[in-house]
Amino acid sequence: MKIKSEKIKKFLKHSIWAKLFIIVFFLFFVFQLVIHVYPFLFVINNSLKTAEEIYKDSMALTTTWSFRNYLVMIQKFQVRGGIYFEELLFNSIWETALWLLANISSSVLVAYVLAKYRFPGHGLVYGIMIFTQTIPILGTGAAAYKLLHGLGMINNPASIWFYWCNGFDYSAFILYGTFKGVSASYSESAKLDGASNVKIFCSIMLPMMFPCIIALLVTNFLTMWNNYTTSQVTLSKFPNLAYGIYIFQKDALYMEEGDTIFYTALVASSIPGLALYLSMQNLIVKNLSVGGLKG
Amino acid sequence: MEIRKNPLKKLSAHILKSYSNMERKDFPFVIAFLAIPVLQVLIFYFYVNFSSITMAFQDSTTGNFSLENIKQVLISFQENNDRWGQPVTEMLGKSVLIWVSGTLMAPIGWLTCYILTKHIPGSGFFRAMYSIPGLVGAVVFTTIVKDFFAYDGLVTKLLVEGGAKFPIQVIRNGLLGSKQTAFWSVFLLNRIMGIAGGGMILAGAFMRIPNELFESAELDGCGFFRETFSIAIPCVWTTLSTMMVFDLCGFFTADMSMYIYSNGTGIFGLNSMGYYLYTFSVNVASGGAKEIYHYASAVGFVITVITVPLVLLGRWGMAKISDAVEY
C-alpha cells in the first residue's frame, strides 16, 4: 500500500507530458492484460461447459458449471490407446523432479566452486561456462541422439539423469553471480573455527543461497513441466502431460466429449505451474539477476 | 632458464604454483564438486559438437571425408528447396525476421518494464498476468491460439466483422489454414504479446536501483524522461547487455512454437529455422535414415558458421556501447 501511494505521489509530481506518457502506458498495460488473460479464462470457461454448450457457442459463458468434466477427464483422457492422465501426470512429476535435481545441483556445484575457490584450471572451467552459454553450436540434435542411443540412455530413466547434469547453463551463470556476492568473511571465520569445506558449503553457503536456488527451481520447474520435446525425443516411452496434450488434441476430434476432456486437461496441466509461480513471483524477481559477460 | 624454454615445464610449474597456493584439502573437494558436471559437458557439449561437425564432413555411406553434405545444404539455400522439399531459405528469412523484430522491439520492452516496475501501482499483478502464457506452456498456449484463429474463432470473427477481406481458404480453414495469413498471424501475436513486461530478471534489476538515486536526481531538477534514459537504463545496462548476448545466441532457434502450430508439418508457411532443426531431431528419434544425421549436422554447421561471428560481434558491440555502471 505504501509503495502504491508512493508511486501515485511520484506521478502527481511529474510534468504534464510525463503524466500523459505514463497514462498512455497504463492504458497499454490494461490492453495487454486483457489479451494475456482472456485466452486462459476462455479455456477455464470451456472446461466447465457441456459438449453441447461448446458446440453451440464456444465463446459464450457457461451456464451449467460442469465441474463433473474434471472427473470425466481423469477417467477418459488417454493417449496411444492406454496411457491415462494419471500416468502422464506421474511421468511429468518424476521427470521434472529428476531434471531439477540433476540440473540445479550440478549448477550449484559448478557455480560455488568457481566463485569461491582458486584452483589450477579455474580460468579454463570459467571459460567453458562462458563459451557454452554464448557460442551457439546449432543442429547438434542428431549427433546428441546418436550418442544417447549408443550409450543406452534413450528411454532409460536410470541413466538419463546424467544427460541432465548440465552444470554450465544459465542457472549456473546466475548462481555464480550470487555466490560471488556472498562475503568471503563467513567461510573464513568458519575455517578458523575448524569447519571443513563440506560443512561450510552445507551449513553456511547453501542456506544463504536458498532464495536464489528456490527462484531457479521454480523457473526451471516451468521449463521442464511444459517441455514436450524431451518426451518426444529422449523419453518417448514415458510421455509427460505436455506431450500427452499435444498428442490428444488430434484424438479429441473423434471422441465423445472430446472437447470438454481436452479443455479440462489443459486447465489441470496448467495448475501446478501457475500456482507455484504466482505464489513465488516476488521471490523470483528479488533473487534472480545476471552480471556481465567477462572472459 | 630451462623452464622458460620448455612450455610444458612452464605450464606444470604454473599449475604446481597455483596448487601450492591453495590449501591441500581444498583440491579433492574442488575435484569432487566439478567431476560430474565437467564430465557431462565434455561428453554432451564438446564431444557431441565435435561429432556433429565430423558428421557434416562425412559421406553417410562410406564414412569418408566429403564436402557433399555441405554442398547440398548450400544448394538447398540457393534453391529454397532441400531434398525433402522444405523451403529452407524462406525459413532462414523468417528466423532472421523473428530475431531482428525482437531486437528492434527490445528497447520498447525495457521501457515498458521500467515504467511498470517503477511507476505503475499494482505492477506485481500486471506482471503475474503477463506471465500466464509462459506459465501454461507452449502446447497449451498454441492450442488456445488455434481456437481463436480458427474459421469460427474470436480473432477471425472480429477481423471479418471489422471489414478485413480474406481469401476463401481463410474463411474455410481459419487464419492458420492459409499460407497468406498463417505465419503472419503467429508472428504478430507473438510480437504484440511480447512487448509488455520485459521479464523477471529485468524487473528485478530495475527494482534493485536504489530509490535515493532517483530522489537526488529529482532534487537536481531531473525530469521523468531524463530519469528514465540517463539513470534507469544505464544502471541496468550490464543486465541488458547480457540478456541481449543470450538473445543473440538464439538467433536461429527462436521458432515461435511453429512445430506445434503446424503439428510438426510446417504447413501453410508455419515454419522457421528453429522448427527445421527440431524436425531433424524428431526424425532421427523416430528411426530416420542414416543420411539424416549427416545432413542435419551439415545444416547445423552452416548455420553455426553464420551465427558465431554475429554473436562475437554482438558481444564486442555490447561491451563497447557502454561500460558497466556500478552503484
Side-chain angles (χ1 to χ4, degrees):
Chain A
M1 204 60 198
K2 196 189 164 198
I3 296 166
K4 277 183 194 174
S5 63
E6 265 176 21
K7 282 180 178 172
I8 291 166
K9 270 184 205 166
K10 205 175 169 188
F11 172 77
L12 294 171
K13 282 184 197 168
H14 287 310
S15 69
I16 186 78
W17 287 111
K19 276 180 191 161
L20 202 66
F21 193 72
I22 293 172
I23 288 170
V24 168
F25 265 89
F26 181 77
L27 294 174
F28 168 75
F29 288 133
V30 173
F31 163 72
Q32 285 281 336
L33 185 79
V34 173
I35 62 169
H36 278 79
V37 177
Y38 180 77
F40 196 64
L41 293 178
F42 163 84
V43 174
I44 295 173
N45 180 45
N46 275 0
S47 75
L48 298 170
K49 284 179 180 176
T50 59
E52 291 77 31
E53 274 184 292
I54 294 176
Y55 181 73
K56 273 183 195 162
D57 186 357
S58 65
M59 295 292 160
L61 271 176
T62 176
T63 52
T64 50
W65 297 92
S66 308
F67 286 98
R68 181 192 144 269
N69 290 344
Y70 284 84
L71 284 176
V72 175
M73 182 272 290
I74 290 170
Q75 288 162 357
K76 291 191 178 174
F77 186 97
Q78 59 158 311
V79 290
R80 290 187 190 155
I83 303 177
Y84 283 86
F85 185 82
E86 55 264 36
E87 191 176 336
L88 297 168
L89 180 67
F90 176 70
N91 287 341
S92 279
I93 292 170
W94 76 256
E95 283 171 22
T96 307
L98 187 61
W99 187 77
L100 286 177
L101 184 71
N103 183 261
I104 300 291
S105 53
S106 303
S107 299
V108 168
L109 299 182
V110 170
Y112 176 62
V113 165
L114 278 177
K116 295 293 170 196
Y117 292 85
R118 296 294 302 172
F119 54 91
H122 180 279
L124 182 70
V125 179
Y126 180 75
I128 290 174
M129 185 167 80
I130 298 294
F131 186 82
T132 54
Q133 281 299 293
T134 57
I135 304 296
I137 299 179
L138 304 167
T140 56
Y145 184 85
K146 191 180 173 188
L147 178 67
L148 285 168
H149 191 263
L151 293 171
M153 290 164 86
I154 297 292
N155 285 316
N156 188 349
S159 60
I160 196 71
W161 63 270
F162 181 61
Y163 181 50
W164 292 340
C165 280
N166 182 5
F168 292 86
D169 64 355
Y170 197 63
S171 304
F173 193 70
I174 289 172
L175 284 162
Y176 173 78
T178 317
F179 271 123
K180 270 274 180 197
V182 176
S183 168
S185 57
Y186 295 107
S187 54
E188 281 164 9
S189 334
K191 264 191 182 175
L192 287 175
D193 291 344
S196 66
N197 283 314
V198 177
K199 179 94 179 158
I200 292 168
F201 174 69
C202 296
S203 307
I204 299 170
M205 290 298 175
L206 263 189
M208 282 204 271
M209 294 294 289
F210 267 150
C212 180
I213 292 172
I214 290 170
L216 282 171
L217 282 172
V218 175
T219 50
N220 283 281
F221 169 89
L222 294 166
T223 308
M224 190 57 185
W225 186 264
N226 294 322
N227 183 333
Y228 66 96
T229 60
T230 301
S231 276
Q232 192 169 21
V233 179
T234 48
L235 287 172
S236 56
K237 286 185 183 165
F238 303 92
N240 64 1
L241 262 179
Y243 189 52
I245 287 172
Y246 173 72
I247 304 171
F248 185 80
Q249 61 177 326
K250 293 169 214 162
D251 301 346
L253 295 170
Y254 311 104
M255 238 179 124
E256 194 190 345
E257 295 185 288
D259 282 338
T260 52
I261 293 171
F262 185 51
Y263 285 122
T264 47
L266 290 183
V267 176
S269 75
S270 308
I271 289 171
L274 281 170
L276 197 63
Y277 188 81
L278 297 181
S279 59
M280 298 273 187
Q281 194 199 187
N282 281 341
L283 184 99
I284 296 168
V285 173
K286 283 178 189 160
N287 289 287
L288 293 189
S289 63
V290 288
L293 289 165
K294 293 195 175 81
Chain B
M1 204 55 190
E2 201 182 319
I3 286 171
R4 274 184 201 167
K5 277 177 189 169
N6 189 335
L8 267 179
K9 281 190 178 176
K10 195 178 171 186
L11 182 70
S12 58
H14 172 73
I15 290 172
L16 281 172
K17 195 181 162 199
S18 305
Y19 184 44
S20 61
N21 283 346
M22 62 186 287
E23 290 179 48
R24 276 184 175 275
K25 63 183 173 184
D26 288 350
F27 199 61
F29 176 77
V30 168
I31 297 280
F33 265 41
L34 287 180
I36 290 178
V38 167
L39 191 63
Q40 196 277 355
V41 85
L42 286 177
I43 296 171
F44 292 108
Y45 184 83
F46 288 102
Y47 175 75
V48 162
N49 285 327
F50 172 76
S51 163
S52 183
I53 292 167
T54 310
M55 279 201 288
F57 292 95
Q58 255 179 358
D59 184 283
S60 60
T61 328
T62 61
N64 295 334
F65 175 81
S66 164
L67 288 173
E68 194 51 35
N69 297 314
I70 303 287
K71 262 188 208 168
Q72 281 193 22
V73 171
L74 294 175
I75 291 168
S76 74
F77 280 117
Q78 211 173 4
E79 296 178 350
N80 187 27
N81 193 9
D82 75 354
R83 60 170 77 171
W84 296 278
Q86 296 274 17
V88 279
T89 321
E90 190 185 308
M91 291 196 267
L92 192 75
K94 283 174 186 168
S95 289
V96 172
L97 177 72
I98 290 170
W99 186 83
V100 170
S101 60
T103 306
L104 291 177
M105 285 171 70
I108 304 172
W110 307 341
L111 192 64
T112 60
C113 185
Y114 168 67
I115 293 173
L116 186 64
T117 310
K118 286 285 189 185
H119 293 278
I120 303 288
S123 55
F125 170 75
F126 278 104
R127 204 176 300 110
M129 295 301 111
Y130 296 159
S131 45
I132 285 179
L135 300 182
V136 298
V139 173
V140 174
F141 184 68
T142 51
T143 309
I144 299 171
V145 172
K146 278 181 187 175
D147 259 10
F148 277 61
F149 285 177
Y151 74 98
D152 58 347
L154 182 69
V155 176
T156 317
K157 271 184 183 172
L158 283 175
L159 288 172
V160 170
E161 280 168 20
K165 295 268 181 281
F166 289 120
I168 188 71
Q169 218 178 354
V170 175
I171 309 292
R172 207 184 296 145
N173 305 326
L175 288 163
L176 301 183
S178 161
K179 187 151 189 185
Q180 284 159 285
T181 52
F183 174 79
W184 293 107
S185 303
V186 174
F187 174 77
L188 287 173
L189 178 81
N190 270 274
R191 282 293 156 253
I192 293 168
M193 291 183 81
I195 296 174
M200 291 288 167
I201 288 179
L202 190 54
F206 280 126
M207 278 168 81
R208 275 187 288 276
I209 304 174
N211 275 333
E212 295 77 37
L213 213 59
F214 295 113
E215 283 161 11
S216 52
E218 200 182 313
L219 289 174
D220 292 342
C222 179
F224 168 78
F225 295 103
R226 204 178 160 102
E227 173 195 300
T228 306
F229 296 104
S230 302
I231 299 174
I233 300 288
C235 276
V236 297
W237 184 254
T238 316
T239 304
L240 288 175
S241 59
T242 307
M243 283 168 60
M244 286 196 80
V245 172
F246 283 125
D247 281 350
L248 199 56
C249 298
F251 195 78
F252 286 121
T253 47
D255 72 339
M256 292 186 167
S257 307
M258 294 295 174
Y259 186 87
I260 319 176
Y261 277 116
S262 67
N263 285 327
T265 60
I267 198 166
F268 301 127
L270 287 167
N271 49 38
S272 63
M273 237 27 225
Y275 156 85
Y276 186 53
L277 292 172
Y278 182 62
T279 53
F280 283 122
S281 298
V282 176
N283 284 337
V284 295
S286 48
K290 199 181 168 190
E291 62 180 51
I292 297 178
Y293 289 88
H294 295 263
Y295 193 83
S297 302
V299 172
F301 179 78
V302 170
I303 294 185
T304 302
V305 167
I306 302 169
T307 316
V308 169
L310 286 173
V311 173
L312 294 175
L313 190 71
R315 268 183 70 176
W316 177 82
M318 287 298 147
K320 282 278 169 197
I321 291 170
S322 170
D323 291 331
V325 178
E326 299 291 338
Y327 57 88

